[in-house]
Amino acid sequence: MLLMATVVEVEAWLFIVAVALIVLLRMVTGHIDLGGAGFHRLQLLIATLGVGVYYVSLVAANHDPTTLPDPGTPAAIGFGGSGLAYLGTKLVKFWPAITNRG
Amino acid sequence: MGTFPLIVGIVGTAIIGAIALIVVIYMAIGKIDLSGIISDSADASLSRFQFLVFTFIIGLSYLLVTLVVASSGQAAGLPEIPANVVVLLGVSGGSYVLSKGIQRAAETSQANAAQPSPPASPITSVAENTTIVGGSGS
Protein backbone atom coordinates (compact mmCIF):
# COMPACT_ATOMS: atom_id res chain seq x y z
CA MET A 1 0.00 0.00 0.00
CA LEU A 2 2.78 2.43 0.86
CA LEU A 3 4.39 1.66 -2.48
CA MET A 4 1.13 2.59 -4.20
CA ALA A 5 0.94 5.79 -2.15
CA THR A 6 4.42 6.65 -3.43
CA VAL A 7 3.28 5.87 -6.99
CA VAL A 8 0.27 8.18 -6.59
CA GLU A 9 2.48 10.93 -5.21
CA VAL A 10 4.80 10.58 -8.20
CA GLU A 11 1.76 10.60 -10.51
CA ALA A 12 0.54 13.87 -8.95
CA TRP A 13 3.97 15.49 -9.29
CA LEU A 14 4.42 14.26 -12.86
CA PHE A 15 0.96 15.46 -13.85
CA ILE A 16 1.24 19.03 -12.60
CA VAL A 17 4.87 19.45 -13.70
CA ALA A 18 4.13 17.96 -17.14
CA VAL A 19 1.09 20.20 -17.65
CA ALA A 20 3.06 23.29 -16.58
CA LEU A 21 5.99 22.35 -18.85
CA ILE A 22 3.74 21.65 -21.83
CA VAL A 23 2.00 25.02 -21.45
CA LEU A 24 5.36 26.80 -21.07
CA LEU A 25 6.90 24.99 -24.07
CA ARG A 26 3.89 25.70 -26.25
CA MET A 27 4.13 29.38 -25.31
CA VAL A 28 7.83 29.48 -26.16
CA THR A 29 7.39 27.64 -29.46
CA GLY A 30 4.46 29.83 -30.46
CA HIS A 31 1.82 27.12 -30.36
CA ILE A 32 -0.11 29.11 -27.77
CA ASP A 33 -1.34 32.35 -29.24
CA LEU A 34 0.00 35.26 -27.20
CA GLY A 35 -1.17 37.88 -29.68
CA GLY A 36 -4.41 38.78 -28.01
CA ALA A 37 -3.38 37.68 -24.55
CA GLY A 38 -5.68 39.05 -21.89
CA PHE A 39 -4.22 39.71 -18.46
CA HIS A 40 -7.24 38.15 -16.77
CA ARG A 41 -6.54 34.86 -18.56
CA LEU A 42 -2.80 34.99 -17.93
CA GLN A 43 -3.24 35.59 -14.20
CA LEU A 44 -5.73 32.74 -13.93
CA LEU A 45 -3.36 30.38 -15.74
CA ILE A 46 -0.51 31.34 -13.40
CA ALA A 47 -2.77 31.02 -10.34
CA THR A 48 -3.99 27.61 -11.48
CA LEU A 49 -0.53 26.18 -12.05
CA GLY A 50 0.91 27.93 -8.98
CA VAL A 51 -1.78 26.74 -6.57
CA GLY A 52 -1.60 23.29 -8.18
CA VAL A 53 2.14 22.95 -7.56
CA TYR A 54 1.72 24.44 -4.06
CA TYR A 55 -0.97 21.94 -3.15
CA VAL A 56 0.96 18.92 -4.45
CA SER A 57 3.95 20.06 -2.39
CA LEU A 58 1.67 20.33 0.68
CA VAL A 59 0.42 16.80 0.08
CA ALA A 60 3.98 15.50 -0.28
CA ALA A 61 4.96 17.10 3.05
CA ASN A 62 1.74 16.12 4.82
CA HIS A 63 2.41 15.05 8.42
CA ASP A 64 -1.17 14.03 9.22
CA PRO A 65 -1.97 11.11 6.96
CA THR A 66 -5.62 10.94 8.03
CA THR A 67 -6.68 14.11 6.26
CA LEU A 68 -5.91 16.11 3.14
CA PRO A 69 -3.61 19.05 3.89
CA ASP A 70 -5.28 22.42 4.38
CA PRO A 71 -4.06 24.93 1.78
CA GLY A 72 -4.98 27.78 4.13
CA THR A 73 -7.45 30.62 3.87
CA PRO A 74 -5.11 33.06 2.06
CA ALA A 75 -4.55 30.55 -0.76
CA ALA A 76 -8.29 29.90 -1.05
CA ILE A 77 -9.10 33.63 -1.03
CA GLY A 78 -6.35 34.38 -3.54
CA PHE A 79 -7.52 31.63 -5.84
CA GLY A 80 -11.14 32.72 -5.51
CA GLY A 81 -10.15 36.31 -6.25
CA SER A 82 -8.28 35.21 -9.34
CA GLY A 83 -11.32 33.29 -10.57
CA LEU A 84 -13.59 36.24 -9.83
CA ALA A 85 -11.32 38.62 -11.73
CA TYR A 86 -11.40 36.28 -14.72
CA LEU A 87 -15.18 35.91 -14.61
CA GLY A 88 -15.73 39.62 -14.03
CA THR A 89 -13.63 40.55 -17.05
CA LYS A 90 -15.37 37.93 -19.15
CA LEU A 91 -18.77 39.22 -18.05
CA VAL A 92 -17.82 42.79 -18.94
CA LYS A 93 -16.58 41.61 -22.35
CA PHE A 94 -19.74 39.62 -23.13
CA TRP A 95 -22.22 42.03 -21.51
CA PRO A 96 -23.03 43.97 -24.72
CA ALA A 97 -23.71 40.68 -26.52
CA ILE A 98 -25.86 39.41 -23.66
CA THR A 99 -27.94 42.57 -23.60
CA ASN A 100 -28.04 42.72 -27.44
CA ARG A 101 -26.16 45.96 -27.58
CA GLY A 102 -23.06 44.51 -29.20
CA MET B 1 -4.30 -5.59 5.22
CA GLY B 2 -7.00 -7.42 3.31
CA THR B 3 -6.82 -8.33 -0.32
CA PHE B 4 -9.81 -6.23 -1.36
CA PRO B 5 -8.41 -2.81 -0.31
CA LEU B 6 -5.16 -3.76 -1.97
CA ILE B 7 -6.91 -4.56 -5.26
CA VAL B 8 -9.00 -1.37 -5.05
CA GLY B 9 -5.82 0.61 -4.40
CA ILE B 10 -4.03 -0.90 -7.38
CA VAL B 11 -7.01 -0.42 -9.70
CA GLY B 12 -7.60 3.18 -8.52
CA THR B 13 -3.95 4.09 -8.91
CA ALA B 14 -3.81 2.51 -12.36
CA ILE B 15 -7.03 4.12 -13.64
CA ILE B 16 -6.28 7.66 -12.44
CA GLY B 17 -2.65 7.34 -13.56
CA ALA B 18 -3.73 6.14 -17.01
CA ILE B 19 -6.25 8.96 -17.44
CA ALA B 20 -3.70 11.54 -16.30
CA LEU B 21 -1.13 10.09 -18.69
CA ILE B 22 -3.56 10.18 -21.63
CA VAL B 23 -4.47 13.81 -20.86
CA VAL B 24 -0.79 14.82 -20.67
CA ILE B 25 0.05 12.96 -23.91
CA TYR B 26 -2.91 14.54 -25.72
CA MET B 27 -1.81 17.98 -24.52
CA ALA B 28 1.75 17.29 -25.65
CA ILE B 29 0.81 16.14 -29.16
CA GLY B 30 -1.79 18.86 -29.59
CA LYS B 31 -4.87 16.67 -29.61
CA ILE B 32 -6.10 18.71 -26.65
CA ASP B 33 -5.92 22.16 -28.17
CA LEU B 34 -4.19 24.66 -25.91
CA SER B 35 -3.48 27.20 -28.65
CA GLY B 36 -6.03 29.75 -27.51
CA ILE B 37 -5.76 29.26 -23.77
CA ILE B 38 -4.44 32.76 -23.10
CA SER B 39 -5.66 34.63 -26.12
CA ASP B 40 -8.71 36.77 -25.55
CA SER B 41 -9.90 36.27 -29.10
CA ALA B 42 -9.74 32.49 -29.11
CA ASP B 43 -12.41 30.08 -28.10
CA ALA B 44 -10.37 27.85 -25.76
CA SER B 45 -11.70 27.50 -22.26
CA LEU B 46 -9.23 28.39 -19.54
CA SER B 47 -11.81 27.61 -16.87
CA ARG B 48 -12.16 24.08 -18.27
CA PHE B 49 -8.38 23.70 -18.14
CA GLN B 50 -8.39 24.88 -14.52
CA PHE B 51 -11.18 22.48 -13.63
CA LEU B 52 -9.25 19.62 -15.24
CA VAL B 53 -6.03 20.42 -13.36
CA PHE B 54 -7.74 20.70 -9.97
CA THR B 55 -9.85 17.62 -10.44
CA PHE B 56 -6.73 15.57 -11.05
CA ILE B 57 -4.66 17.14 -8.28
CA ILE B 58 -7.29 16.80 -5.59
CA GLY B 59 -8.36 13.38 -6.84
CA LEU B 60 -4.79 12.08 -6.77
CA SER B 61 -4.18 13.68 -3.36
CA TYR B 62 -7.30 12.07 -1.94
CA LEU B 63 -6.29 8.68 -3.31
CA LEU B 64 -2.83 9.14 -1.83
CA VAL B 65 -4.16 9.97 1.65
CA THR B 66 -6.63 7.09 1.46
CA LEU B 67 -3.84 4.65 0.62
CA VAL B 68 -1.66 5.94 3.47
CA VAL B 69 -4.56 5.63 5.91
CA ALA B 70 -5.33 2.11 4.67
CA SER B 71 -1.73 1.03 5.00
CA SER B 72 -1.34 2.38 8.53
CA GLY B 73 -4.67 0.96 9.68
CA GLN B 74 -4.96 3.76 12.22
CA ALA B 75 -8.33 5.10 11.17
CA ALA B 76 -11.54 3.73 9.83
CA GLY B 77 -13.48 5.50 7.11
CA LEU B 78 -12.54 8.01 4.47
CA PRO B 79 -10.08 10.82 5.17
CA GLU B 80 -11.39 14.27 6.07
CA ILE B 81 -11.48 17.04 3.49
CA PRO B 82 -10.67 20.50 4.91
CA ALA B 83 -13.04 23.34 4.07
CA ASN B 84 -10.39 25.23 2.10
CA VAL B 85 -9.90 22.25 -0.23
CA VAL B 86 -13.64 22.26 -0.89
CA VAL B 87 -13.34 26.00 -1.58
CA LEU B 88 -10.57 25.38 -4.12
CA LEU B 89 -12.61 22.74 -5.91
CA GLY B 90 -15.73 24.87 -5.68
CA VAL B 91 -13.98 27.90 -7.13
CA SER B 92 -12.61 25.95 -10.09
CA GLY B 93 -15.92 24.16 -10.74
CA GLY B 94 -18.00 27.28 -10.15
CA SER B 95 -15.89 29.45 -12.41
CA TYR B 96 -16.20 26.81 -15.16
CA VAL B 97 -19.99 26.74 -14.85
CA LEU B 98 -20.30 30.54 -14.69
CA SER B 99 -17.91 30.98 -17.60
CA LYS B 100 -19.98 28.61 -19.73
CA GLY B 101 -23.16 30.36 -18.61
CA ILE B 102 -21.86 33.78 -19.66
CA GLN B 103 -20.70 32.44 -23.01
CA ARG B 104 -23.95 30.59 -23.68
CA ALA B 105 -26.07 33.60 -22.70
CA ALA B 106 -24.15 35.78 -25.15
CA GLU B 107 -24.45 33.21 -27.95
CA THR B 108 -28.18 32.72 -27.37
CA SER B 109 -28.78 36.43 -27.23
CA GLN B 110 -26.88 37.03 -30.47
CA ALA B 111 -28.63 34.14 -32.21
CA ASN B 112 -32.02 35.57 -31.22
CA ALA B 113 -31.00 38.99 -32.47
CA ALA B 114 -29.79 37.56 -35.79
CA GLN B 115 -33.01 35.69 -36.53
CA PRO B 116 -34.96 37.35 -39.40
CA SER B 117 -38.26 38.84 -38.41
CA PRO B 118 -41.20 36.72 -39.57
CA PRO B 119 -42.80 37.87 -42.83
CA ALA B 120 -45.92 39.95 -42.58
CA SER B 121 -49.08 37.90 -42.82
CA PRO B 122 -50.56 38.08 -46.34
CA ILE B 123 -53.58 40.23 -46.76
CA THR B 124 -56.35 38.09 -48.09
CA SER B 125 -59.45 39.50 -49.53
CA VAL B 126 -62.58 38.10 -50.96
CA ALA B 127 -61.58 39.44 -54.37
CA GLU B 128 -58.53 37.15 -54.55
CA ASN B 129 -60.70 34.09 -54.46
CA THR B 130 -63.22 35.39 -56.91
CA THR B 131 -63.20 33.97 -60.43
CA ILE B 132 -64.50 36.18 -63.08
CA VAL B 133 -66.26 34.16 -65.79
CA GLY B 134 -67.15 35.34 -69.22
CA GLY B 135 -66.68 38.85 -70.45
CA SER B 136 -65.95 38.66 -74.18
CA GLY B 137 -69.17 36.95 -75.29
CA SER B 138 -67.67 35.54 -78.49
Side-chain angles (χ1 to χ4, degrees), chain B residues 68-96:
Chain B
V68 171
V69 168
S71 67
S72 64
Q74 59 178 291
L78 291 167
E80 285 176 36
I81 302 177
N84 284 327
V85 175
V86 179
V87 169
L88 286 187
L89 256 185
V91 165
S92 65
S95 64
Y96 170 64

Side-chain angles (χ1 to χ4, degrees), chain A residues 43-99:
Chain A
Q43 61 86 19
L44 187 66
L45 179 70
I46 292 169
T48 301
L49 295 175
V51 173
V53 169
Y54 169 67
Y55 195 71
V56 174
S57 68
L58 279 184
V59 172
N62 189 15
H63 296 298
D64 180 12
T66 60
T67 175
L68 280 171
D70 190 348
T73 308
I77 290 174
F79 192 62
S82 171
L84 270 181
Y86 170 70
L87 284 175
T89 315
K90 189 164 187 168
L91 185 62
V92 168
K93 182 187 160 195
F94 279 100
W95 189 251
I98 292 171
T99 55

